[in-house]
């Protein structure tokens, strides 16, 4: 229905063994918009993504309270697979491709929760959309960093997500390649996907997003329109290198 958030997280609290790491995080991603999640190392960004995906138990942690809702459907207690079926997909930090498998095989892995007959057709469309992937039989390990990032994004898109989580997509890429990754992210939002962008590069993330949430030690310390946050003196000092 209209007005339904792509992703809505309320009061997320999480811990690993004995360490409490998230203390009540609220975050909403609207369809067709990019929301940025910013914060220094250790602020809890990756832990937040694990809560959204239902992966805390894999890392011997737990989401202790709060809720996760995807397109109006609560998935707080659902398996990661169910959440993917509900509309989530992730482009993980470091891409995590299968280097020995081909581009096409990596893309098919992204479709592993689907049962429809349009997977081949979606691969064709992705190859057209991302020229970097136009050699589908080549092994992923032979691709450049930028090409690998496009493949990681393509693999996530094979799940036909409504909400795309990107963990540090610009990390380790040359500036020109970073530009094309951000152009791609913008085009995905134009297609109507709700994007959650986790970035160390706060300047680029604020430019690329409409809204942003800033975490510090597991709490939201700022949230709002990205343009306003970019003008906030505390944000400038802490994250944008403006003295
Ligand atoms: P980074 O950019 O370095 O990934 P982050 O903002 O993503 O930082 P998290 O990785 O979520 O932060 O870490 C938040 C806190 O949780 C840190 O204090 C970290 O040491 C701790 N932590 C992360 N993963 C685990 C784990 N598997 N077991 C115990 N503690 C963890």
């Amino acid at each position: 229905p209209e007005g339904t958030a792509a992703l809505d997280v309320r009061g997320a609290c999480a811990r690993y063994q004995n360490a409490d790491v998230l203390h009540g995080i609220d975050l909403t991603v609207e369809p067709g918009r990019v929301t940025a999640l910013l914060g220094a190392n250790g602020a809890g960004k990756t832990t937040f993504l694990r809560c959204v995906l239902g992966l805390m138990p894999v890392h011997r942690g737990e989401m202790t309270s709060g809720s996760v809702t995807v397109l109006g459907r609560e998935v707080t207690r659902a398996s990661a697979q169910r959440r993917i079926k509900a509309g989530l997909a992730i482009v993980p930090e470091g891409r995590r491709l299968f280097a020995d498998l081909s581009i096409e095989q990596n893309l098919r892995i992204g479709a592993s929760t689907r049962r429809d007959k349009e997977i081949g057709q979606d691969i064709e469309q992705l190859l057209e959309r991302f020229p970097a992937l136009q050699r589908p039989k080549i092994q992923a390990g032979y691709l450049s960093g930028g090409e690998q990032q496009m493949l990681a994004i393509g693999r996530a898109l094979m799940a036909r997500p409504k909400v795309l989580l990107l963990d540090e997509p610009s990390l380790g890429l040359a500036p020109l390649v970073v530009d094309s990754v951000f152009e791609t992210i913008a085009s995905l939002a134009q297609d109507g996907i709700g994007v959650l962008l986790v970035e160390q590069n706060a300047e680029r993330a604020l430019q690329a997003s409409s809204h942003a949430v800033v975490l510090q030690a597991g709490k939201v310390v700022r949230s709002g329109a990205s343009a306003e946050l970019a003008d906030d003196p505390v944000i400038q000092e802490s994250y944008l290198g403006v003295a």
Side-chain angles (χ1 to χ4, degrees):
E2 207 176 318
T4 302
L7 172 69
D8 191 40
V9 181
R10 295 288 112 197
C13 295
R15 71 164 167 235
Y16 298 105
Q17 278 106 326
N18 292 322
D20 288 311
V21 173
L22 297 183
H23 310 276
I25 309 299
D26 294 329
L27 184 147
T28 303
V29 178
E30 299 295 344
R33 303 227 173 213
V34 180
T35 298
L37 180 61
L38 308 178
N41 281 333
K45 305 180 299 296
T46 300
T47 302
F48 181 82
L49 291 181
R50 287 172 182 165
C51 288
V52 171
L53 285 163
L55 295 177
M56 284 303 284
V58 177
H59 301 275
R60 299 211 278 154
E62 60 173 330
M63 184 168 156
T64 51
S65 61
S67 65
V68 179
T69 304
V70 176
L71 297 168
R73 193 165 139 204
E74 202 193 323
V75 296
T76 314
R77 278 165 208 84
S79 66
Q81 193 175 352
R82 292 278 298 275
R83 294 177 199 223
I84 292 166
K85 282 189 180 160
L88 286 175
I90 185 158
V91 180
E93 182 173 357
R95 346 227 188 273
R96 311 236 175 187
L97 298 168
F98 294 91
D100 297 338
L101 298 186
S102 70
I103 287 178
E104 182 178 339
Q105 286 168 325
N106 273 280
L107 290 174
R108 284 188 182 278
I109 286 166
S112 56
T113 58
R114 286 173 54 181
R115 291 287 169 269
D116 60 88
K117 298 201 162 56
E118 293 169 3
I119 292 170
Q121 179 187 315
D122 281 11
I123 289 177
E124 293 300 317
Q125 281 178 5
L126 275 178
L127 300 184
E128 266 174 47
R129 180 168 188 176
F130 298 134
L133 307 183
Q134 267 164 7
R135 297 164 297 164
K137 302 297 177 203
I138 204 171
Q139 285 180 8
Y142 289 113
L143 301 177
S144 71
E147 290 167 340
Q148 290 192 13
Q149 186 59 275
M150 290 303 176
L151 178 53
I153 292 172
R155 181 182 56 183
L157 292 177
M158 287 301 296
R160 292 189 166 176
K162 301 291 187 295
V163 187
L164 185 62
L165 316 172
L166 295 129
D167 195 359
E168 306 278 4
S170 75
L171 206 65
L173 299 179
L176 275 179
V177 180
V178 172
D179 289 345
S180 79
V181 168
F182 278 102
E183 278 166 28
T184 300
I185 291 170
S187 78
L188 298 176
Q190 267 159 25
D191 291 346
I193 295 176
V195 177
L196 180 60
L197 173 64
V198 172
E199 262 291 339
Q200 294 277 348
N201 185 340
E203 190 175 1
R204 289 304 299 262
L206 288 173
Q207 285 166 359
S209 58
S210 61
H211 289 81
V213 173
V214 183
L215 289 190
Q216 192 178 307
K219 289 183 181 150
V220 175
V221 291
R222 284 281 193 291
S223 70
S226 300
E228 283 169 29
L229 289 176
D231 287 335
D232 181 324
V234 175
I235 301 295
Q236 290 184 340
E237 208 175 302
S238 309
Y239 300 100
L240 301 177
V242 181

